[in-house]
Amino acid sequence: MRRVLTTLMILLVVLVAGLSALVLLVNPNDFRAYMVRQVEARSGYQLKLDGALRWHVWPQLSILSGRMSLTAPGASAPLVAADNMRLDVALIPLFSHQLQVQQVMLKGAVIQLTPQTEAVRKAGSPVAPRENTLPDEPSDTGWSFDIGSLKVADSVLVFQHEDDEQVTVRNINLKMEQDAHHRATIDFSGRVNRDQRDLTLSLNANVNASDYPHQLTADIQQLNWQLTGADLPVQGITGEGTLQAVWREEQKQLELDNLNLQANDSALKGQASVSLADKPKWVFNLQFDKLNLENLLAAETVSTPDSAPSQSGQVAVKQTRPVISSNIEKPEYNGLRGFTADILLKANSVRWRGIDFTDVSSQMFNHNGLLVISDLSGKMGAGHVSLPGTLDVRTSAASAEFQPRLDNVEIGTILNAFNYPISMTGQLTLAGDFSGTKIDAEAFRRDWQGQAHVELTDTRMEGLNFQQLVQQAVERSSNVTAKENYDNATRLDTFTSDLTLDSGQLSLDGMQGSSSLLSLTGVGSLDLVKETADTRFNVRVLAGWEGESKLVDFLKETPIPLNVYGKWQALNYSLQVDQILRKHLQDEAKRRLNDWADRNKDSQSGKDVKKLLNKL
């Protein structure tokens, strides 16, 4: 035991003596010119070190510097600037005049990936060959130079592509270790705050830079993020995933493969790529197992008529981004002008506005502001929905055109989804053409135009029972009775109509409906903004009468005018039953008098009655 302790003490003394001798005999400033020269020789970048270099011996032998900067050839601003830099070096190589940097640590760094920090090639300078441009280790009789690890703490990254807006990533913490073959492992975390939104991002990745700058590949094994703020769900968007990325410098192309991402309770797989030309070209091929848009998009504020109180549960308060004042008015969807995209999407299930869709597929193409949606379809319950269309933002005013096709879908679900207070159920089939300037539910209410043909089966409209209204009015004005009916709804087996939409005014033409109890025709209009109705029906009640009489037969064959009008939630109605019955009695009296006159046509009384009837 004593020998072991003695040996350890000897080693400790030797280590302390060596470090002391190193600190006393080796001046770290001797490395300054060498490091600057080597960085420029190997990369062309200009390294600038302010202040004197000094040793730091515990817990790691390191060289400390003051403010540093790294500038690309011909650039007007440094690529990297840091308040201080620490170089962790190996001890033993120093005794043989070798500077082996095990780790470079930057604290308080500002990394700028902007046009001002890009290298500028001199006119007439030779182009490097396709092979790796890193030179062999120089035959230098003095110091040799090698770096194995990089660490960046509490730093900032500023990114800008050409004339686009700058994106600033704060609180950057980066740790990278690479081997002799330029294969590296990276741990990264940072935060982006922009437009009242906060994105926290972290990732672990394996990077292969052996063919850099021609090609750079990354296998991102763990990616986590959280996005909160304006125009987002209250709980924000939290996600994780894995992917593989490849950057090709000559083509300026980024490929993302084996995407496997989750955001809240949604999940996607697929591939994506972008070519960064003057106008980037994107290609997406994504498959969603589940896409819950209700947990990815902020709840919309539902407008109500000015005279109507807000309904509980229909108005969702959300944080919105401020409107930035500008002398230049940018058109809606202006961002679509700056790129082309080919998008193919599929989803097993989609939830949106309380509606569940299955087997959803979409194929879209954007060409610098012309978005063509050739396919957007899916199943909705037992029915099918298709919504192809175009959005053109190439001019100052955006224009959208869609051709919805609905087949056997539940109309009540659609009315509830868009907060229309109309209590109606039934299977809807619709084919139409609509156009507007903004793709938004509120804009559709107020500003869109179009026509459509609708067919409804097995419909039930709550609040008014047309059969009951007619029969009760007849009972009050005659001795005809009807069977008791306590159902406060109108049921129709079939209903068809042509509708025209014009800036919130929905016209209903050629309405026809029928069931075993009644038959109706009519016309009308709905104000989608004020939520009012003005409809006129002609209703024939075919069943439900008590007994048999000529009056009942007459009522079965005679349309009764029915006007339904007013607020959707408090409809009024008016019936013209008295006029119909009065006219029926008059016609019946005329018929009987005419028959009596015909039987007594030779008498003076018969002739007088005939003259009187002719005057009526």
Side-chain angles (χ1 to χ4, degrees):
M1 187 65 181
R2 181 179 301 175
R3 291 181 180 180
V4 174
L5 292 176
T6 301
T7 303
L8 292 177
M9 291 301 295
I10 293 173
L11 290 175
L12 181 59
V13 170
V14 171
L15 179 60
V16 172
L19 290 175
S20 300
L22 179 67
V23 171
L24 293 175
L25 300 177
V26 179
N27 186 354
N29 290 283
D30 294 342
F31 307 139
R32 178 195 299 272
Y34 176 76
M35 288 190 294
V36 171
R37 186 170 63 253
Q38 287 296 312
V39 168
E40 183 176 8
R42 290 171 178 255
S43 65
Y45 283 72
Q46 295 291 326
L47 174 64
K48 181 179 180 182
L49 300 173
D50 295 338
L53 302 181
R54 60 193 186 276
W55 287 113
H56 181 77
V57 298
W58 186 262
Q60 167 70 41
L61 181 63
S62 307
I63 298 176
L64 302 182
S65 77
R67 184 167 181 80
M68 62 80 64
S69 64
L70 188 66
T71 306
S76 59
L79 175 67
V80 180
D83 294 335
N84 54 71
M85 177 175 66
R86 190 185 80 194
L87 305 178
D88 295 339
V89 299
L91 172 62
I92 302 302
L94 288 175
F95 292 101
S96 58
H97 278 213
Q98 293 181 355
L99 179 62
Q100 182 177 344
V101 180
Q102 296 177 331
Q103 177 173 271
V104 177
M105 178 176 180
L106 302 177
K107 186 174 179 61
V110 176
I111 306 167
Q112 299 187 75
L113 301 178
T114 65
Q116 292 75 25
T117 64
E118 292 182 354
V120 178
R121 185 183 299 276
K122 295 182 179 179
S125 61
V127 179
R130 171 65 179 83
E131 290 77 13
N132 196 318
T133 58
L134 288 176
D136 295 332
E137 186 174 348
S139 56
D140 195 297
T141 57
W143 295 95
S144 63
F145 188 64
D146 187 22
I147 299 176
S149 179
L150 173 66
K151 186 175 182 181
V152 180
D154 300 330
S155 300
V156 175
L157 168 65
V158 179
F159 175 81
Q160 182 183 21
H161 177 65
E162 297 182 348
D163 296 328
D164 296 339
E165 294 184 17
Q166 288 188 351
V167 177
T168 302
V169 185
R170 305 182 186 277
N171 299 343
I172 288 179
N173 288 281
L174 170 67
K175 184 176 181 181
M176 182 181 73
E177 297 181 357
Q178 68 171 342
D179 59 18
H181 302 287
H182 302 287
R183 291 190 293 265
T185 59
I186 293 178
D187 292 332
F188 170 87
S189 65
R191 182 174 64 86
V192 181
N193 187 283
R194 187 182 183 192
D195 295 339
Q196 288 193 323
R197 292 180 177 177
D198 189 89
L199 172 63
T200 302
L201 181 69
S202 65
L203 63 86
N204 300 324
N206 293 327
V207 177
N208 186 347
S210 59
D211 197 20
Y212 182 82
H214 303 290
Q215 180 171 301
L216 183 68
T217 63
D219 182 8
I220 300 177
Q221 299 176 333
Q222 184 63 46
L223 174 65
N224 297 279
W225 72 87
Q226 183 176 22
L227 180 62
T228 59
D231 291 340
L232 292 170
V234 176
Q235 74 277 13
I237 301 175
T238 302
E240 61 181 14
T242 60
L243 62 104
Q244 294 176 348
V246 179
W247 169 254
R248 294 183 172 87
E249 175 64 25
E250 281 75 12
Q251 296 82 12
K252 300 293 183 183
Q253 185 182 56
L254 175 64
E255 293 183 359
L256 304 177
D257 295 316
N258 297 325
L259 285 168
N260 190 351
L261 305 177
Q262 291 183 342
N264 290 348
D265 58 345
S266 300
L268 73 85
K269 296 181 180 179
Q271 302 82 35
S273 67
V274 57
S275 298
L276 297 178
D278 292 338
K279 291 189 175 180
K281 180 178 180 180
W282 290 86
V283 177
F284 293 95
N285 185 358
L286 304 177
Q287 301 86 41
F288 294 86
D289 180 52
K290 179 181 180 181
L291 177 58
N292 187 351
L293 294 175
E294 293 184 353
N295 284 342
L296 298 177
L297 303 176
E300 295 188 9
T301 301
V302 180
S303 66
T304 55
D306 297 337
S307 59
S310 298
Q311 298 180 35
S312 175
Q314 286 196 344
V315 179
V317 179
K318 67 173 182 177
Q319 180 187 6
T320 57
R321 289 180 287 177
V323 177
I324 301 175
S325 177
S326 174
N327 293 328
I328 302 176
E329 291 292 337
K330 293 185 178 180
E332 290 284 350
Y333 314 107
N334 186 63
L336 292 174
R337 293 182 176 186
F339 68 95
T340 62
D342 192 355
I343 305 171
L344 181 63
L345 304 177
K346 291 185 179 296
N348 294 332
S349 66
V350 176
R351 183 170 179 82
W352 178 62
R353 286 180 171 268
I355 307 176
D356 291 314
F357 300 91
T358 58
D359 297 336
V360 176
S361 64
S362 176
Q363 187 167 5
M364 296 178 280
F365 179 77
N366 176 54
H367 186 70
N368 300 323
L370 177 61
L371 177 63
V372 178
I373 305 175
S374 57
D375 176 38
L376 179 57
S377 60
K379 296 179 181 179
M380 178 180 166
H384 185 268
V385 177
S386 177
L387 194 64
T390 61
L391 174 62
D392 192 348
V393 298
R394 295 173 295 179
T395 60
S396 57
S399 63
E401 296 181 0
F402 284 86
Q403 299 79 43
R405 301 293 185 267
L406 282 67
D407 183 20
N408 199 36
V409 302
E410 176 54 52
I411 188 174
T413 304
I414 297 176
L415 294 174
N416 291 334
F418 292 95
N419 302 288
Y420 286 102
I422 300 176
S423 299
M424 177 182 290
T425 59
Q427 306 306 309
L428 170 66
T429 298
L430 178 147
D433 295 274
F434 295 92
S435 62
T437 58
K438 186 177 181 181
I439 304 176
D440 178 78
E442 188 62 23
F444 183 85
R445 288 178 187 250
R446 297 177 179 273
D447 303 322
W448 279 56
Q449 299 83 36
Q451 300 82 33
H453 178 75
V454 298
E455 297 180 4
L456 284 164
T457 59
D458 299 327
T459 60
R460 176 184 173 94
M461 187 181 71
E462 302 290 342
L464 291 177
N465 187 330
F466 287 4
Q467 174 200 1
Q468 187 182 64
L469 295 178
V470 171
Q471 290 180 332
Q472 288 178 347
V474 170
E475 286 181 322
R476 289 192 298 266
S477 302
S478 69
N479 58 356
V480 175
T481 59
K483 297 179 180 179
E484 291 185 354
N485 187 349
Y486 300 104
D487 193 0
N488 190 28
T490 298
R491 295 173 177 266
L492 292 173
D493 295 334
T494 61
F495 176 85
T496 61
S497 178
D498 294 317
L499 61 84
T500 302
L501 176 64
D502 186 10
S503 300
Q505 301 297 318
L506 184 65
S507 300
L508 300 170
D509 300 312
M511 288 189 289
Q512 294 184 357
S514 64
S515 70
S516 60
L517 299 178
L518 57 85
S519 174
L520 61 82
T521 60
V523 295
S525 64
L526 303 177
D527 190 320
L528 303 185
V529 179
K530 297 180 180 178
E531 296 185 353
T532 60
D534 184 9
T535 55
R536 297 167 297 281
F537 298 98
N538 291 315
V539 181
R540 289 192 300 121
V541 178
L542 307 177
W545 303 105
E546 291 285 356
E548 295 292 336
S549 67
K550 291 183 178 180
L551 180 56
V552 170
D553 295 337
F554 168 77
L555 291 171
K556 291 180 179 180
E557 298 297 329
T558 303
I560 306 296
L562 171 63
N563 181 213
V564 180
Y565 59 94
K567 295 289 184 181
W568 293 348
Q569 294 177 298
L571 291 171
N572 301 308
Y573 72 93
S574 64
L575 278 168
Q576 300 180 16
V577 172
D578 292 341
Q579 296 90 324
I580 296 295
L581 293 177
R582 187 180 302 112
K583 186 177 184 303
H584 173 70
L585 291 175
Q586 290 174 350
D587 292 343
E588 183 65 18
K590 286 181 181 180
R591 184 187 63 78
R592 292 185 179 185
L593 287 173
N594 192 59
D595 291 343
W596 183 86
D598 288 340
R599 291 194 301 270
N600 298 277
K601 60 183 178 179
D602 296 331
S603 66
Q604 186 61 39
S605 298
K607 294 178 180 180
D608 293 340
V609 170
K610 199 69 170 179
K611 290 180 181 180
L612 178 62
L613 291 175
N614 292 333
K615 291 180 180 182
L616 296 178

